Amino acid sequence: MTVEFICVGTEILLGSIVNTNAAFLSEQCAGLGLSCYFQTVVGDNEERLTQVLKTGMERSDIIILSGGLGPTEDDLTKEVAAKVCGKDLQLHKPSKKAIEKYFAQRGTVPTDNNWKQAMLPKDAIVMENHNGTAPGVIMETAKCSLILLPGPPNELKPMFQECVVPYLEKLTSQVICSQTVKICGVGESRAETIVKDLIDTQGNPTIATYAKTGEVHIRVTANAEDKKDAMKLIKPVVKELKSRFGNAVYSTEEECTLEKAVADLLTANDLTVTCAESCTGGMLSARLVNVPGVSEVYKMGVVTYSNKAKRRLLGVKKNTLSKFGAVSAQTAQEMAKGAALTFKADVAVAVTGIAGPDGGTAEKPVGLVYIACYVKGKAVVKEYHFSGNRGKIREATVAAALTLLRECILEYYSKITFGKKE
């Protein structure tokens, strides 16, 4: 089946907000085995939205619209969709009560235009919004199904998971299952080269690669009469991917992040960790602290941005800083060792670099980063060259630091595979 996305909002066209909904919907629908050939962004204009919607209905089985369900006059999605489908709007009493409850819980009074959100197409499937005031709507026509979702991501995402996924799964007689192989330390182009033969000969299951910051995810999707048969098709492909990528595979669990994989690895080996950060300014510690229960292994982190802080808190030698500079392999190594000894941790990871946009030289350009990992007396330092703006460089540095931390622990405990002792 084919699915098409129409994201509504002039603010998207103007660049005032980033269209993250399209990326989310694309990934989710791909995981459900739906083929997406078209995505459109259209402004809050009745004529243009009508044209885009009619075109989509002629070529796709499912249309998912996001945005334009608010209470103001320029929120036109529901009204235009109902008109195109030949459906009248009528008051949906449960939605009106939900809106009343929403405002009552916040001690505020709804304005008259809020009731516009309770006017819904006749005979439509209504999806309750637990995070806002705009209910979602599903309209079924002879041509296709229209799914209307609110624009704010914190409303769209839970509604999609709770209501839309079960609905989409019922549209096909077959069950669609997927499993994601998550890889770190391997670039997208290299990863694709490694699996190119599998992609070229794919059928059922299908294989798709997704580039993340510092990671590559390979999603294997199969359809069958039931979940058991679908997973039978997926299993040998996942096994082959693990064989090809080895320890670069950090998880095949959908909910497992790189930081969780690292935290699990530390926990499995009773290791404590500390972080010493310069250019990342605490982002590495923040990623680790995202993991519930990480307090069992995470001791503390320090941001030693200045040379004085590096010397005073981590014991970096004055001569090292003057001879090699703050951004150097030697400084990174002393930062990691100093953090481990000072805070009595089994493992320490340190980062120092030039995130830009200023501060770079011909010898040390913007994007130059050194990351050091210290595991029970042994230190490893790697040099990296990242590109992009300041934010991109810092994010890439954090991902690389987590990857190096994981690699060093795996190397130290050579009999550990995916965080579990053999």
Side-chain angles (χ1 to χ4, degrees), residues 7-18:
C7 299
V8 184
T10 303
E11 66 275 13
I12 304 175
L13 293 174
L14 294 175
S16 301
I17 63 171
V18 178

Side-chain angles (χ1 to χ4, degrees), residues 63-194:
I63 308 289
I64 300 180
L65 299 100
S66 64
L69 300 184
T72 61
E73 289 186 9
D74 63 346
D75 290 309
L76 303 167
T77 301
K78 178 181 56 187
E79 288 74 13
V80 171
K83 186 176 180 181
V84 170
C85 294
K87 293 181 179 291
D88 295 327
L89 296 177
Q90 60 185 21
L91 179 65
H92 186 252
K93 293 182 180 179
S95 293
K96 185 174 186 292
K97 289 183 179 179
I99 294 171
E100 290 173 342
K101 182 180 178 181
Y102 180 91
F103 282 97
Q105 289 176 335
R106 287 155 180 78
T108 56
V109 178
T111 54
D112 289 341
N113 57 1
N114 282 116
W115 306 125
K116 171 178 179 282
Q117 295 178 298
M119 298 296 294
L120 304 180
K122 185 179 180 181
D123 300 324
I125 299 170
V126 179
M127 298 178 287
E128 188 176 352
N129 188 342
H130 300 292
N131 301 282
T133 57
V137 173
I138 298 175
M139 288 186 285
E140 297 174 328
T141 73
K143 294 181 178 179
C144 66
S145 295
L146 272 64
I147 302 172
L148 282 59
L149 299 173
N154 67 329
E155 298 179 31
L156 178 144
K157 290 181 180 181
M159 185 180 291
F160 185 90
Q161 297 288 1
E162 294 167 12
C163 304
V164 179
V165 169
Y167 173 78
L168 293 176
E169 289 176 339
K170 290 179 182 178
L171 293 183
T172 175
S173 59
Q174 290 191 313
V175 171
I176 301 168
C177 295
S178 64
Q179 188 169 10
T180 302
V181 178
K182 299 186 177 183
I183 301 160
C184 61
V186 178
E188 180 186 12
S189 58
R190 183 182 164 207
E192 187 176 73
T193 300
I194 292 172

